Amino acid sequence: MRASYTFSGRWEVSAPVPAVHDALVDLEHYPDWWPQVVAVASLGPDDARVLCRSRLPYMLDLVLHAVDRSPRRLEVAVSGDLDGWVRFDLAPTAGGTRLDLAQEVSVSGPLALASYTARPVLRWNHHRMMAGFVAGLEAWLRR
């Protein structure tokens, strides 16, 4: 049993594209600024294991593999508790950088089963995680 999710979002942070790019490719520091990222372990130059937990009482264990690290696009393949991909497109704005998120993932097991009745709650949980992302990134970039 599998369930699929598609997420998107658009945010602006008050820092230039290169600074935002540098923060996003530096996964090992995510726990320092992204409250929902509990731990990150490097698995090599293009791979990392990431443990994250948002508001609901479950931990996601993910492996991220870098697909694209170009100056205006960051994309990773995701495996583990989620399978799919996540991409950020970065664009300069008058006030800093616009981040456009595109994410397509699928889940299996208990999360897939929960998706049949709790999909709105799981989407809310993702929304909370991304709110932590934006607030944390903005604060990290101001330091």
Side-chain angles (χ1 to χ4, degrees):
M1 177 182 309
R2 297 197 73 72
S4 296
Y5 287 86
T6 300
F7 297 104
S8 62
R10 176 175 279 182
W11 304 275
E12 187 170 329
V13 294
S14 55
V17 170
V20 174
H21 183 276
D22 289 349
L24 294 181
V25 297
D26 187 11
L27 270 72
E28 291 185 40
H29 281 99
Y30 278 20
D32 295 334
W33 59 265
W34 193 346
Q36 293 80 9
V37 175
V38 176
V40 175
S42 176
L43 302 175
D46 295 324
D47 301 283
R49 183 175 180 198
V50 178
L51 300 177
C52 52
R53 179 177 179 198
S54 191
R55 300 290 293 177
L56 296 178
Y58 64 86
M59 184 84 63
L60 291 176
D61 187 350
L62 308 173
V63 174
L64 307 182
H65 174 73
V67 173
D68 189 345
R69 290 189 189 125
S70 57
R72 299 254 177 109
R73 173 171 282 178
L74 298 167
E75 184 173 342
V76 295
V78 180
S79 60
D81 289 336
L82 304 177
D83 288 307
W85 55 270
V86 180
R87 181 178 62 237
F88 279 104
D89 288 310
L90 310 176
T93 65
T97 301
R98 186 183 72 233
L99 295 101
D100 291 308
L101 166 74
Q103 179 178 2
E104 291 185 11
V105 294
S106 63
V107 296
S108 59
L111 279 179
L113 186 59
S115 293
Y116 286 99
T117 57
R119 183 175 287 270
V121 175
L122 295 172
R123 293 186 69 76
W124 169 83
N125 198 54
H126 182 271
H127 177 76
R128 298 308 316 145
M129 178 147 183
M130 296 313 298
F133 162 81
V134 174
L137 178 61
E138 184 77 45
W140 180 256
L141 293 168
R142 279 196 310 262
R143 68 174 182 17

